[in-house]
Amino acid sequence: MSALNAESTAFRSALEAVRAVEPRIADAIAQELTDQRESLKLIASENYASPAVLLAMGNWLSDKYAEGTIGRRFYAGCQNVDTVEAIAVEHGKALFNAPYAYVQPHSGIDANLVAYWAILADRVEAPALAKVQKRNVNDMTDAEWAELRAAFGNQRMLGMSLDAGGHLTHGFRPNISGKMFDQRSYGVDAATGQIDYAALRESAKEFRPLVIVGGYSAYPRKVNFRIMREIADEVGATFMVDMAHFAGLVAGKVFTGDFDPIANAHIVTTTTHKSLRGPRGGAVFCQPELADQVDRGCPMVLGGPLAHVMAAKAVAFAEARRPEFADYAQRIVDNSQALAAGLTSRGATVVSGGTDNHLVLIDVDKYGLTGRQAEQALLDSGIVTNRNAIPQDPNGAWYTSGIRIGTPALTTRGLGTGEMDQIAELMHTVLTSTRAGASKAKFDLDAAVSERVAKQATELLADFPLYPTVDIS
Ligand code: DSN
């Protein structure tokens, strides 16, 4: 049986089994494939996992509870989960050249919580921990949170500001990290749009954080993790990097040397489904001295490990160890740079003047639009992006003034730099044809324009079929 037939048969059979119980779910799954095939997906945090990764998740490994770690479980009968987790760890360590890997986190937020707890537990005195265990945290006021932080030694976190591209889990209040830590942000230089390491160093010296967090969700440049580690060492901080967005570029050896987080940080967290192209999930990589605390992730902050997803992580890591993944990673950046150049040449304002990674951030104020208006106008035209704050954004995090555009997914489909220029033209057409409406969410766009662009987007994708080996019709 050819690969085409094996994969198609597998997905068809799975849908048939689901349809026999709840046809609406089978229909929604099938429709998702149709929708993904037809849309120009430029969401920087999304990708298309391989059929092998997807199929590794749909099985009876899901039925097993396995709290604990390899060989030390709180449940009997975990021999196959042990095998799966050990293989995922083996591939993860080899892929990233990491001394230690923990592949249980269910998401990036979970991975960050595991890392924060490991850092706190490693650095905080035992009496402070005992004090916390007496608390009921659910009804705590801000003052009580401050008291709790004091019990932990007033731990401080220095992380990237949200408008410069940082993530909510880097110490912001909608996330528990904003309650666990006193957070101070570092931003970007107003003129260059890039991290000002001298300012970061000064801030760290003054603030004396327990942890410095590198990494981002919407920063279009390489980060010099060697300099950040130097700063952390100067102030006695633990240096953590959240590489969720650019893990694929680390795996593919686009980011090496000073720009390799694993080589420079004490602890590194990631998701596995963005540029890394694996299943939805997270992982933590760390230096050996933090390994014991990281291993406490479940049940400290995680529910039981998802063995079926760890199986898919193992498959994805194995795929990323192949030479063709390095080629893929480089093409992600080539495409991103071509997209930035195409937009710039058509008059767009690209934040920081370009990109070194998988994403491009544009300032849509140039078109008299908010991010919310631009995002919806593009979506109506078949182009899926997401609105994002830009440095010193006057429109805040909800409406924003920016659009974040990422190339990992379309690069997986095989689109190249020529197609990126065509996409820049389509985006330019939509953005210059859209007029702001009566509110920050409303806008006017001639339906003829959006229909024409959507048709052109579909035509562009026709030469790059998604999941060409999968036929579920
Ligand atoms: N949701 C991810 C992103 O879009 O960047 C991060 O949480």
Side-chain angles (χ1 to χ4, degrees), residues 43 45 167 217 245 274 386 404:
I43 304 263
S45 48
H167 190 256
S217 288
H245 261 261
K274 297 187 175 95
N386 70 282
R404 187 183 69 165

